């Protein structure tokens, strides 16, 4: 059984999309997507919305060339309201 806390820790560690997390954990993307929906509904993570300010909020901004605006997948990050409470997990 997949542990919600493991997925949250991977996101905290820089894994930002469901396909990447599924590959690392050795599970299918649907399982990861379900866990991500739970974490998002609880306010632990948020989807990075692409738009004019996406680069300033992106967790990858230090290493990115700025061309990810054409990325077709989904990227998640720790919610701003929960980043100060990062020791608390679901």
């Amino acid at each position: 059984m997949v542990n919600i806390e493991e997925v949250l820790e991977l996101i905290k560690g820089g894994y930002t999309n469901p396909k990447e997390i599924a590959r690392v954990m050795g599970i299918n993307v649907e399982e990861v997507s379900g866990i991500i929906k739970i974490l998002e509904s609880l306010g632990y993570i948020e989807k990075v919305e692409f738009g004019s300010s996406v680069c300033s909020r992106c967790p990858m901004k230090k290493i990115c060339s700025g061309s990810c605006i054409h990325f077709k997948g989904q990227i998640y990050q720790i919610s701003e309201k929960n980043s100060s409470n990062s020791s608390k997990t679901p």
Side-chain angles (χ1 to χ4, degrees):
M1 181 170 196
V2 178
N3 187 330
I4 292 174
E5 292 171 352
E6 290 178 73
V7 173
L8 184 60
E9 287 303 315
L10 284 172
I11 294 170
K12 285 180 183 178
Y15 292 92
T16 58
N17 70 62
K19 287 182 183 178
E20 185 177 38
I21 293 168
R23 181 184 51 78
V24 169
M25 295 185 73
I27 59 175
N28 66 48
V29 177
E30 291 77 21
E31 286 180 88
V32 173
S33 295
I35 291 170
I36 284 174
K37 285 180 184 177
I38 292 168
L39 289 169
E40 191 174 13
S41 72
L42 293 172
Y44 284 95
I45 63 173
E46 59 190 18
K47 187 186 299 187
V48 175
E49 298 293 336
F50 296 113
S52 61
S53 66
V54 71
C55 291
S56 65
R57 295 184 7 239
C58 181
M60 305 283 287
K61 67 184 173 188
K62 292 181 182 175
I63 61 170
C64 181
S65 65
S67 62
C68 66
I69 198 72
H70 302 290
F71 178 71
K72 300 285 186 221
Q74 296 175 341
I75 295 177
Y76 292 86
Q77 66 184 11
I78 299 299
S79 173
E80 288 182 26
K81 66 182 178 181
N82 285 310
S83 62
S84 61
N85 295 329
S86 61
S87 62
K88 290 185 176 182
T89 55

